[in-house]
Amino acid sequence: EAAITQAEEEETKEHLFESLLSECRDAIQAVREELKPDQKQRDHSLEIDSGKVSNIQYLHSYLTYIKLSTAIKRNESMAKALQKALLRQQGPEEDGKRVPRPQDLIRLYDIILQNLAELQQLPGLEEDKSYLKEIGIKTLVYKAYRCFFIAQSYVLVKKWSEALVLYDRVLKYATEVQAQAGTKKNNLKELPDVQDLITQVNAEKYSLQAAAILDASDTDEAESPSQVKDGKPLSERFEIFCLDPSLVSKQASLVHFPPEFQPIPCKPLFFDLALNHVTFPPLEDKAEQKAKSGLTGYIKGIFGFRS
């Protein structure tokens, strides 16, 4: 661990971490082989001793604790390196190099939280309240950082509401850490400072709100030209305000011209014009035989042409 602390390059640190983890895995495997006969002896022991944990099991828990703690430190070191790379990042990918993203940090913090969950389940430490409380505080710290970078990933895709809710969740986790830390502050010195995280989250919230307002105004400006291109003249969109340069040009669209035809009520001239061309049916068998008027007078009487 001293060599890891003194190492300056990230590649060197990662190599040392991998060497230490490999040694831990070898030691744990050797202890597991010793645990098999010990487990058989426990199965045949008295019931009064069945709940006790043997020394070899304590050794196994201790080695597992070292392995998981080392894995957490390695992932935290990688997370710090990625955070520095994110701060230096100013543009998209260049020269085929992969640019770090908040999603990479989220995966690292997921692994850290999984390791902490395994630390809580080590045999022989289930009743150690101080140990469990310390692991619980560490879990809250890493949950806060994981939630923070999830919010950052939402900011990149302009999901302002989701990001704001996640920032509030980060503040909630950080407040719980400060409330529960108490006398455990000496044991939590190696953890990231939640106060710095709170300051950063408050700054990000203000930036997010400003970006959301600017994005909303840009959206409104982008939508206004589309309202002009729908072909409606000015007389049909008095209630919509938009900057239309065509209104001050020679081709301003003010009204529909010529106006469309509309049906109106009028006298039915059809019958007046077509009357002379109408061929009437024969009515000799129905008409009265009058000497003076005849058939012509009868027809005139029907249509109201009486003298």
Side-chain angles (χ1 to χ4, degrees):
E1 293 185 359
I4 295 174
T5 306
Q6 295 175 0
E8 297 181 357
E9 297 182 359
E10 295 298 330
E11 294 182 359
T12 305
K13 287 184 179 181
E14 186 174 354
H15 177 71
L16 292 174
F17 274 123
E18 289 297 334
S19 300
L20 183 57
L21 288 172
S22 178
E23 293 176 0
C24 289
R25 283 190 287 267
D26 294 340
I28 290 172
Q29 183 62 31
V31 173
R32 281 178 181 171
E33 294 178 357
E34 295 293 332
L35 270 175
K36 293 179 181 178
D38 184 73
Q39 185 67 31
K40 293 180 180 179
Q41 293 178 3
R42 284 191 61 201
D43 294 339
H44 294 86
S45 62
L46 298 175
E47 293 182 359
I48 192 172
D49 296 330
S50 61
K52 294 183 179 180
V53 180
S54 62
N55 293 332
I56 193 71
Q57 286 178 326
Y58 274 121
L59 178 60
H60 182 269
S61 297
Y62 175 69
L63 292 174
T64 305
Y65 175 84
I66 293 176
K67 186 194 77 170
L68 294 174
S69 300
T70 304
I72 291 173
K73 291 179 181 178
R74 180 197 62 182
N75 292 327
E76 187 178 354
S77 176
M78 295 172 63
K80 289 180 180 178
L82 282 175
Q83 290 180 34
K84 293 179 181 178
L86 283 174
L87 292 176
R88 292 194 302 266
Q89 177 184 341
Q90 296 180 354
E93 299 181 5
E94 297 179 358
D95 300 332
K97 294 182 179 179
R98 186 177 181 275
V99 177
R101 299 173 298 172
Q103 289 84 346
D104 301 329
L105 285 162
I106 295 170
R107 283 192 288 270
L108 287 176
Y109 284 112
D110 281 334
I111 297 172
I112 291 175
L113 291 173
Q114 184 179 356
N115 292 334
L116 289 171
E118 294 179 9
L119 284 173
Q120 289 179 326
Q121 300 173 359
L122 291 178
L125 300 175
E126 299 90 346
E127 298 180 358
D128 192 340
K129 295 182 180 180
S130 177
Y131 168 78
L132 294 177
K133 183 178 180 181
E134 181 179 341
I135 297 299
I137 294 174
K138 290 181 178 180
T139 302
L140 287 175
V141 172
Y142 289 113
K143 277 185 176 181
Y145 273 88
R146 175 180 175 273
C147 193
F148 173 76
F149 288 107
I150 293 176
Q152 292 287 83
S153 64
Y154 276 113
V155 170
L156 292 178
V157 294
K158 296 184 178 181
K159 292 186 177 181
W160 314 118
S161 301
E162 292 85 348
L164 187 60
V165 171
L166 289 170
Y167 281 142
D168 291 335
R169 180 69 62 85
V170 174
L171 294 177
K172 177 184 176 183
Y173 285 143
T175 305
E176 290 181 6
V177 170
Q178 291 179 335
Q180 296 182 17
T183 58
K184 296 287 183 180
K185 291 184 178 179
N186 293 330
N187 297 331
L188 303 176
K189 287 182 178 179
E190 298 180 357
L191 293 176
D193 190 0
V194 292
Q195 186 59 43
D196 293 341
L197 181 62
I198 291 174
T199 304
Q200 187 175 1
V201 167
N202 288 328
E204 291 290 340
K205 286 179 66 177
Y206 293 127
S207 300
L208 184 147
Q209 292 171 357
I213 294 172
L214 292 174
D215 184 63
S217 62
D218 292 341
T219 304
D220 294 339
E221 292 178 0
E223 290 178 354
S224 58
S226 64
Q227 296 173 353
V228 178
K229 294 178 181 179
D230 57 4
K232 291 183 179 180
L234 181 62
S235 60
E236 296 182 3
R237 50 183 175 88
F238 285 130
E239 70 280 1
I240 300 173
F241 174 77
C242 58
L243 298 176
D244 188 1
S246 65
L247 294 177
V248 294
S249 64
K250 295 182 179 180
Q251 298 179 351
S253 178
L254 303 178
V255 294
H256 286 295
F257 187 82
E260 298 179 356
F261 290 102
Q262 297 180 358
I264 58 174
C266 63
K267 183 179 180 181
L269 299 176
F270 170 78
F271 297 104
D272 295 342
L273 297 174
L275 181 60
N276 295 330
H277 302 279
V278 172
T279 302
F280 296 100
L283 300 174
E284 290 84 357
D285 56 339
K286 296 181 180 180
E288 296 181 359
Q289 299 295 331
K290 294 184 179 180
K292 295 183 179 180
S293 59
L295 181 60
T296 304
Y298 179 76
I299 294 174
K300 289 182 179 180
I302 293 176
F303 288 94
F305 298 103
R306 294 183 181 274
S307 56

